[in-house]
Amino acid sequence: MIVGSLAAGFLTNSIPLNGRSAPSKYRTLRELGRAKGVSIGAATSAAQLYEDRSFADVLLSECDRIVPEWEMKWSAIYSVQGRVDLGGMDKICSFAKEKGLRVRGHPLIWHARLPVHIQAEIDAGRAKVLLKNHVSFVMSRYQDVIDSWDVVNEAILPSDGNSNGFRSSPWFSALGPSYIHNAFELAREFAPNARLVYNDYNVEYDGVKADAVLSLLKSLTSARIPIDAVGLQSHLWATRRRIEREKFIRFCGSIRDLGLEILVTELDVRENQFEYSTEHRDRVVSKVVEEYLKALLSVAVPKELCFWGLSDRYSWLSKPQYNPENPRGYVNRGLILDEKLARKEVWATVFSLLDKIK
Ligand code: G3I
């Protein structure tokens, strides 16, 4: 149901409000987030920012932060042995500086997308040098625009069978858990004023993983390793899985009790009902995000709320290789704007939940 008059009153385009949101003095998530102390962000790419003007304009109205979906990964930077390619990151950070946006540094140290020649160097015993060189070089280069860094991404995977649930990543295999301590200590040295984040996924659904992440966080904080926040990637599932609400709330409370901030870093919804009507699909996505955000907001207000894309136009979940639920490559409608950049029901849900923050 489109509430025309209400929508016209304070939204730039009409969206199904279903009477859940009274008019607000704020017109965009960016304005509302700023008023509530929540920085609104979206993953994007240099191509989207420079080659899709309509998209970039809407992003500037809804977000005050951007995240490189690809350009800061080791596969992008070190794609050719002996060469360092930060052209994509430079373009993204130039755009951000010109437009007054903040940037998330994602990711610094990750197990995935390591070029073969980098893997060979790690295997040859140069992991510690590689890690230090990368952290120092990249953080120094962008310290004037990147204020929040995923220093270590996805270090926990209990199914790998290591003690304390560590993932058998190349870094872990070469250096043991100390690579995590090392990365955060170097990060504080080279970006002393930035928010240093441990980032991971599925803690909303998997209590075993959440417990292992919490164990890592307790070990880092008790060892006085410089860490400021935990990034909940929050790649949610439309119907295939349901968040373990009470466990998730306790998990967030434990993070808060460690004195760490909680960020939402990659929020989107993985659909699996592409044969249903758009209205039904959008309602399901909205309800999933509503349940998740209500659970989180019952414990903490995230200083950063980032979506893994702003518009369905560029969702990674529309690519069958990333979304086994979507073998035919339908547009996955798991983000706040549709592929035509129109606000969806989930936009109104996020807006009304943030608007209620005191
Ligand atoms: O390979 C080309 C490269 O040659 C080209 O220069 C570049 C230009 O943009 O594109 C590259 O294509 C793909 C890239 O996405 C850009 O679309 C890469 O092959 C592909 O591996 C890459 O996938 C990304 C994936 O991380 C791995 O980096 C997805 O888009 C991205 O959504 C996904 O994001 C991850 C987060 O970083 C961590 N959390 C989970 C999340 C989803 O998996």
Side-chain angles (χ1 to χ4, degrees):
M1 172 190 59
I2 302 288
V3 184
S5 58
L6 188 58
F10 73 107
L11 293 174
T12 48
N13 56 0
S14 58
I15 54 167
L17 292 174
N18 310 317
R20 284 180 300 156
S21 305
S24 164
K25 60 182 174 183
Y26 306 108
R27 299 178 59 80
T28 66
L29 285 175
R30 175 183 171 134
E31 286 177 7
L32 175 59
R34 192 146 284 184
K36 303 289 184 179
V38 179
S39 173
I40 305 294
T44 184
S45 70
Q48 291 167 18
L49 296 174
Y50 287 91
E51 297 167 24
D52 187 344
R53 180 60 188 273
S54 61
F55 170 82
D57 288 346
V58 171
L59 181 142
L60 290 170
S61 71
E62 297 284 8
C63 301
D64 66 0
R65 178 177 297 278
I66 52 180
V67 195
E69 184 170 8
W70 166 253
E71 284 85 350
M72 206 175 128
K73 288 168 180 172
W74 288 51
S75 284
I77 298 172
Y78 308 110
S79 57
V80 176
Q81 187 162 9
R83 211 182 76 191
V84 178
D85 180 3
L86 283 163
M89 267 312 287
D90 288 350
K91 286 184 76 172
I92 288 175
C93 289
S94 298
F95 182 92
K97 277 189 270 192
E98 182 194 334
K99 305 294 185 183
L101 300 174
R102 306 308 292 168
V103 180
R104 299 210 74 243
H106 168 85
L108 263 184
I109 303 300
W110 192 28
H111 65 280
R113 298 296 181 276
L114 292 174
V116 170
H117 63 87
I118 294 285
Q119 181 68 64
E121 287 204 63
I122 293 174
D123 295 343
R126 287 177 38 79
K128 199 163 180 138
V129 172
L130 275 173
L131 190 150
K132 176 167 187 175
N133 289 349
H134 180 72
V135 171
S136 55
F137 175 59
V138 171
M139 293 190 107
S140 306
R141 188 181 183 95
Y142 300 116
Q143 58 184 328
D144 59 340
V145 66
I146 298 183
D147 65 347
S148 179
W149 292 87
D150 287 340
V151 176
V152 173
N153 191 44
E154 304 175 6
I156 297 293
L157 187 68
S159 58
D160 273 357
N162 295 306
S163 60
N164 298 318
F166 287 110
R167 179 189 294 271
S168 296
S169 78
W171 304 107
F172 178 80
S173 305
L175 302 170
S178 70
Y179 84 93
I180 301 171
H181 303 66
N182 193 236
F184 278 98
E185 285 169 339
L186 285 167
R188 182 66 90 217
E189 179 186 346
F190 290 99
N193 304 317
R195 181 175 283 138
L196 304 184
V197 184
Y198 174 73
N199 193 49
D200 216 325
Y201 63 91
N202 260 13
V203 291
E204 308 84 2
Y205 297 95
D206 178 348
V208 172
K209 172 148 187 182
D211 290 344
V213 169
L214 199 53
S215 167
L216 168 63
L217 297 171
K218 285 177 179 172
S219 72
L220 294 174
T221 50
S222 58
R224 300 196 182 288
I225 297 297
I227 174 174
D228 304 306
V230 181
L232 309 180
Q233 291 186 12
S234 309
H235 292 293
L236 305 179
W237 298 74
T239 65
R240 199 64 78 194
R241 301 175 73 176
R242 188 96 190 263
I243 65 168
E244 294 184 8
R245 187 176 180 281
E246 296 313 316
K247 271 189 186 176
F248 175 58
I249 288 173
R250 285 196 301 275
F251 171 76
C252 293
S254 301
I255 292 174
R256 181 201 55 206
D257 296 345
L258 286 173
L260 298 173
E261 294 167 356
I262 298 175
L263 313 178
V264 177
T265 53
E266 306 182 19
L267 181 56
D268 60 12
V269 178
R270 182 191 298 267
E271 281 200 282
N272 62 307
Q273 295 181 316
F274 299 98
E275 69 283 4
Y276 284 70
S277 71
T278 299
E279 188 177 17
H280 171 85
R281 290 167 58 187
D282 287 357
R283 176 65 41 79
V284 167
V285 166
S286 177
K287 283 292 179 199
V288 162
V289 170
E290 182 176 22
E291 180 186 34
Y292 162 77
L293 271 183
K294 277 184 174 175
L296 173 60
L297 292 171
S298 70
V299 176
V301 176
K303 288 234 178 11
E304 298 172 31
L305 171 55
C306 295
F307 301 91
W308 204 240
L310 182 65
S311 158
D312 300 332
R313 181 180 294 182
Y314 296 115
S315 174
W316 68 297
L317 291 170
S318 301
K319 300 173 184 171
Q321 66 268 40
Y322 299 123
N323 189 0
E325 308 275 6
N326 184 14
R328 300 177 67 177
Y330 291 107
V331 173
N332 189 89
R333 294 180 64 87
L335 294 167
I336 54 174
L337 305 184
D338 71 13
E339 43 182 336
K340 297 187 178 70
L341 308 179
R343 290 168 173 171
K344 292 152 63 183
E345 183 168 340
V346 62
W347 184 97
T349 296
V350 173
F351 190 97
S352 61
L353 288 173
L354 293 182
D355 208 15
K356 292 188 177 79
I357 294 172
K358 295 295 174 234

